[in-house]
Amino acid sequence: MVEAGRHSRRAKARRSTRVWPILLSLALIAAAVAGGLALHRSSQRADGAADGVASTANVDLAARSAAVDVVLKRRAQAVLAGSEKDFVADVDPANTRLVASQKTLFTNLRQFGFAKLAYQQLAQQYDDRIVRKDGPSTYLVAVAMTYQIRGIDLVPVRAMLGYTFTQRSNGAWMLVSDSDLDKRLPRGSHQEAWDTGPVLVKRAPRVLVVVEKGQDALAAKLVTMSASAVQAVTKSWPGGWKGSGVVIALDDKIVRGADYTQPMNAEDAIAMATWVYRTLPGEVTGAGERADSYVVINPNNRTKVDARTLAHEFTHVATAPYGPYAPRWLVEGAATYVEFLPMAGQTKLAISQYRQDVRTKHLAKAKSLPVDATFFEQADSSYPLSWLALDYLFTRYGGTEVGTLYREMASMGSTQKERDRIMLEHLGMTETGLFAALKAAAAA
């Protein structure tokens, strides 16, 4: 869900390092199965029951599925209708901590303004320890959350979480946990902004900002910067961009797979663009179909965020639906190119001087374009060289050709052979030829 790496160093004195971590594919531990996704299972007998635990053979599976579907539908409709009572109606009342967290979840969800919301059962999971704790009727199930935030998501998107249910004496099914499966789910699952503590959501046209409850001033600042960045990317990205900028700036260090507990990320990263999926991995394609990205800001470096930072990230958001295969120099070069363009309210950068500095300091020592395998380890040179490559392409070929090149590389450039073919078709040269052209331009 997240693409890892260091962001470019800006021209002149504005040289803050940023990271855009490797976007997670949300790869599941096991393959897709009919009607859902198979996650890993603990040891069990062939009939699905662990030793010492009642077999599911005595459970009316169809009735259970139907009953849980009713619970899931009631929860989704409760959010849309604004009924906290209905949202927690099926939560174990004896678990006061769970009830309280579910009420916080409800309050958070209501702020996002969903146009659509639904929960769908995927694959049943097994955990002997939890069954022994909650009883033989225990039902652990991976759940897909399908949602569309009004005015933000262009299409419905999907995320994953996991629920644990047990059957009451009256036959009804009761939610007893929403975290038992967290460690088995794909990274980033059940780590949405609404899954944290109380939040505050603020909006502007094509902008949604999430901060901790009570941080109104930060929210207002981020809304203003985000609106400026959205306008800049819409104006500058070839063909325009009709999407929106979602910015999450919470105190939590792990949100949507962006992990700011890792030393490098915690120190250097300012923001990460995290993928949002139209389909989950295994449903249509192995990696899932991307729809968009949400930006997660590092709480350690929150004061370093500006409109240019967000323009860089929103360029990643704009290009996320194209696919995962574009080379890193193209991905980061494009985002840095847009970041450096003139922006309303931002100081104009000395691009001519920066171009010469990159040629002298980095291009002169380089032997090729930055390669994916070492891009982030050599970030100090990778980002400037990538920007230089895109500066050259935009200047020589124009935005329309660069935009088309990016789309095809992202969707079809899964091998070096395919990358070479696409480059030759659009530019008449491969990546090796482009590097040679950069050298020749610097020598002219």
Side-chain angles (χ1 to χ4, degrees), residues 141-416:
V141 61
V143 174
M145 176 182 178
T146 301
Y147 66 90
Q148 185 173 13
I149 302 173
R150 182 176 288 104
I152 298 296
D153 298 312
L154 296 177
V155 298
V157 295
R158 283 161 77 77
M160 285 191 70
L161 61 155
Y163 285 154
T164 305
F165 294 94
T166 61
Q167 193 172 28
R168 291 182 169 121
S169 58
N170 64 2
W173 288 86
M174 176 176 62
L175 179 67
V176 295
S177 175
D178 67 348
S179 59
D180 287 337
L181 290 179
D182 282 358
K183 292 183 179 180
R184 296 192 192 184
L185 297 174
R187 184 180 172 190
S189 301
H190 203 211
Q191 294 176 355
E192 301 292 343
W194 47 76
D195 291 319
T196 64
V199 302
L200 171 66
V201 178
K202 291 293 184 181
R203 285 174 169 267
R206 297 176 61 192
V207 168
L208 185 146
V209 169
V210 188
V211 299
E212 300 289 338
K213 182 179 179 180
Q215 294 186 346
D216 298 69
L218 174 61
K221 179 181 177 182
L222 289 173
V223 166
T224 299
M225 292 191 297
S226 297
S228 176
V230 164
Q231 293 173 4
V233 177
T234 299
K235 176 183 177 180
S236 302
W237 187 248
W241 172 51
K242 298 180 180 179
S244 299
V246 175
V247 177
I248 302 168
L250 298 171
D251 294 341
D252 298 75
K253 295 182 178 180
I254 301 178
V255 181
R256 306 203 81 253
D259 187 352
Y260 293 117
T261 65
Q262 297 180 11
M264 182 178 293
N265 288 349
E267 179 182 354
D268 295 335
I270 292 181
M272 300 180 183
T274 62
W275 286 342
V276 182
Y277 286 85
R278 178 183 294 108
T279 63
L280 292 171
E283 290 183 319
V284 177
T285 67
E289 299 173 311
R290 301 182 200 172
D292 215 331
S293 291
Y294 297 162
V295 175
V296 180
I297 293 176
N298 184 352
N300 298 321
N301 293 327
R302 194 175 288 159
T303 59
K304 298 179 182 178
V305 175
D306 59 13
R308 289 192 181 279
T309 305
L310 296 178
H312 184 116
E313 298 303 329
F314 291 164
T315 303
H316 291 320
V317 174
T319 56
Y322 300 167
Y325 300 123
R328 191 63 48 211
W329 65 264
L330 181 57
V331 171
E332 294 299 341
T336 308
Y337 179 82
V338 173
E339 173 190 5
F340 282 10
L341 293 176
M343 287 182 59
Q346 298 295 303
T347 303
K348 189 173 182 179
L349 302 178
I351 294 300
S352 295
Q353 183 59 53
Y354 183 64
R355 184 183 297 115
Q356 186 58 44
D357 290 347
V358 174
R359 287 171 170 174
T360 301
K361 184 177 180 180
H362 300 292
L363 182 63
K365 301 176 183 178
K367 296 182 180 179
S368 69
L369 292 174
V371 297
D372 292 358
T374 58
F375 189 97
F376 301 118
E377 287 78 5
Q378 301 171 8
D380 287 352
S381 60
S382 295
Y383 277 93
L385 286 172
S386 298
W387 172 85
L388 187 66
L390 269 294
D391 176 60
Y392 176 86
L393 293 178
F394 270 96
T395 301
R396 178 172 177 180
Y397 296 94
T400 299
E401 191 65 53
V402 173
T404 302
L405 173 70
Y406 195 125
R407 285 174 173 83
E408 293 195 15
M409 292 282 268
S411 63
M412 297 183 286
S414 58
T415 66
Q416 189 59 53

Side-chain angles (χ1 to χ4, degrees), residues 54 114 126 392:
F114 293 106
Y126 299 90
Y392 176 86

Side-chain angles (χ1 to χ4, degrees), residues 55-69:
S55 170
T56 59
N58 297 323
V59 176
D60 186 333
L61 301 184
R64 181 182 66 186
S65 179
V68 170
D69 279 343

